[in-house]
Amino acid sequence: MQTDKAAACRLRKRTVLYLHTANWRDGMKAPKRAEYPNRSVSKVKETASQEIDTELEQIFIELHQSPRETLARIRRLQELVHKHSNPEVQSRALLAEGIAEVLLSNYARGKEYLSSAIAQLSKLGDQKGVALAHRFTGAAYFKTGDYQKAQKAFQRAKKIYEQINDLRGVGVTLNNLAALDQRFGNFKEALSKFLESAEILRRCGDEANEGATLANAALLLERLGDYRTALEYALKALTCIEKHHNPMHTAAVFTTLASLSMKLGNLTAAMDYALKSKQSFEASGEKFGIATALTLLAELYQQQRKFPDALAMYRQALSLRQALQDRWGMADVWMRIGQLFADEKKWQEAENAYEESLSLFEQGGEKARLAQVKLALSKVWLQKQLFKKAEKMLQDALTLAEEAGSTEEIAAIHNALALLYANTGRYKQAYEHHCKFAQIDATLKDAERLKQMQYLQIRFDVERLRDERKFFEHKAEKLEGEMKRKQKELMRLTMSLVRKNEFLKSLYDMLGDVQLGASKKTQNAVQKIRAEIQASLRSEETWRLFEAQFSELHKTFLQTLAERYPNLTPTEIKVAAMLRLDLSTKEIAALLYASERTVETHRQNLRRKLRLGAEISLQTFLASL
């Protein structure tokens, strides 16, 4: 026996070691029959399955922090999973692989795995797993711009979470739906959902996701121009997220804080946050994030007129974007480098940088960005007095901006054309373009004022909704407290009636014993008392007391039951009410002055008349009415 235990211990340690290293094929070979001389093959397989299950648990914990490394481990486990584990473990491995692919931006592959996981998990009845798969499917659609499908997936996930009473899942999915509302331009709904999500997650004690939701709210407020409130939410988000040591999430919040501080004119704080963002992204190994932080640092150095530092940061960011083959990112950095050289009046270097950016944006056909670069390049040529080249470039830029519907760019191009024509003595054309610029500029200023009014309306509506939610939550808490008090009173009364009837029944039986061998006179007297006890036990008074208190707590139950199932007898309705309170057969028998067998018969009649299958609990069904 000792030898067998020692072999099991060696196997377990060796299997775990193999699962954590590259020797995963040896891990498959670990459960050998020879090492278990006194155990069945099925037991060996069960042990291997448990080891794999433990490894998967760890994978789910680490999935968000290091998806690339985790995905490699999942793939090493795939053959083991199919060889030794049960269907539950197989479906969870598939779910983990799908989530990892989505986190790594492999959206098509991720959706394929998640679709298979949903099918398997649904068969197994794993509703929580199905909801999680739907949520990440929605995330994949969201990232690829298919917002209608993303919304459907998120709504399916939220519905399942509500059905299984998973409040945390509801809170996280609300955050996803809020992000969709933001993309649709429904800012009021988005902000309201972000705040509701954060409140739910706070109540659940999920600080990491609460922080992520607050960070999203901060980004929305930044877009709406309320930088101070956005900064407040971003700082709250940082407080929540930093406790959980997730470098990538922390870095993202630092980036937001740097951007907001820069817009509020606090360049010292912005620089500090940008450096922390870069350090956190480096700790997580997220190269796209590092490139973003470098670009932000360069922009800050540029504002501080530190040209060499800014250029060094931009070049580091450009090198990373090239290594990542991020065409759009390279184009954006080249455009920023062009602006940096233009600020320093280094016109040839600025021209070269803008042309690099233009070439990269042309590959993607981004009309709005092409219009921006062409406008910037034309300004360089104006400085070099290359008026014909600048005029043609501006005309091209105007066409692109109009096709893209970029009103701000259209205004800026008309203004540049007005200056060009004025400098070359073509005053009629200069006047025409200046009038167009003034007209669009006035429209933009009106739109900005309207935007500010709409934003104030959004904030007012959100605050009102939040106050209303607090009011109803407070009211619900009071009602819940009142319900609990009435429930206690009802149970106190019920148990008091049970004890009273049990006592009377016991007394009735004891008096029956007294009758034996007593005088005729005593027998008559005892018989009279027993008759009164029996009358009391059979009286409807007990039921009336119970019914009055029960109806106060469950107002419509008895009426609903009688209306929906008119074939129920009065006694069966009484039994149903007592089962609704989860009373035992013995307690119900005492209240009804019936035998336990009789109560069991009533229970069976209830199941038959309510048409309940064997898999449905009678108490659960009655509780749903």
Side-chain angles (χ1 to χ4, degrees), residues 98-133:
I99 292 171
E101 293 286 9
V102 171
L103 291 173
L104 291 169
S105 304
N106 302 323
Y107 302 121
R109 204 154 54 231
K111 285 186 287 187
E112 183 183 339
Y113 290 140
L114 289 168
S115 177
S116 299
I118 288 169
Q120 291 189 24
L121 291 163
S122 297
K123 288 179 183 177
L124 295 166
D126 184 354
Q127 290 294 85
K128 194 166 186 176
V130 172
L132 185 61

Side-chain angles (χ1 to χ4, degrees), residues 41-205:
V41 173
S42 63
K43 194 69 178 176
V44 173
K45 288 184 177 179
E46 183 184 343
T47 302
S49 180
Q50 288 171 353
E51 299 291 357
I52 295 168
D53 197 35
T54 303
E55 175 71 0
L56 271 174
E57 288 292 340
Q58 190 62 32
I59 280 171
F60 271 104
I61 292 169
E62 298 172 10
L63 195 55
H64 285 76
Q65 294 187 13
S66 52
R68 188 168 283 104
E69 294 78 3
T70 309
L71 182 59
R73 284 164 60 195
I74 294 168
R75 286 175 177 164
R76 288 199 297 270
L77 279 174
Q78 287 300 326
E79 193 170 341
L80 277 172
V81 166
H82 289 292
K83 187 175 181 69
H84 294 295
S85 72
N86 54 35
E88 288 84 352
V89 179
Q90 290 176 12
S91 59
R92 287 177 62 238
L94 195 59
L95 173 61
E97 189 166 10
I99 292 171
E101 293 286 9
V102 171
L103 291 173
L104 291 169
S105 304
N106 302 323
Y107 302 121
R109 204 154 54 231
K111 285 186 287 187
E112 183 183 339
Y113 290 140
L114 289 168
S115 177
S116 299
I118 288 169
Q120 291 189 24
L121 291 163
S122 297
K123 288 179 183 177
L124 295 166
D126 184 354
Q127 290 294 85
K128 194 166 186 176
V130 172
L132 185 61
H134 277 306
R135 196 164 68 75
F136 273 92
T137 301
Y141 281 125
F142 182 87
K143 290 290 188 180
T144 53
D146 198 337
Y147 300 132
Q148 296 296 336
K149 287 184 179 177
Q151 188 175 45
K152 287 178 182 177
F154 289 143
Q155 285 172 343
R156 286 192 197 105
K158 181 171 175 283
K159 186 177 180 181
I160 294 170
Y161 282 131
E162 287 171 341
Q163 287 171 348
I164 63 177
N165 200 28
D166 185 340
L167 196 60
R168 179 189 169 280
V170 172
V172 173
T173 314
L174 263 176
N175 177 38
N176 300 138
L177 288 165
L180 268 176
D181 279 325
Q182 184 174 341
R183 287 297 173 94
F184 290 143
N186 303 326
F187 299 129
K188 182 175 78 173
E189 290 83 354
L191 189 55
S192 178
K193 281 175 184 165
F194 279 137
L195 296 178
E196 185 182 355
S197 170
E199 177 60 24
I200 289 171
L201 293 165
R202 185 192 64 77
R203 293 205 306 269
C204 293

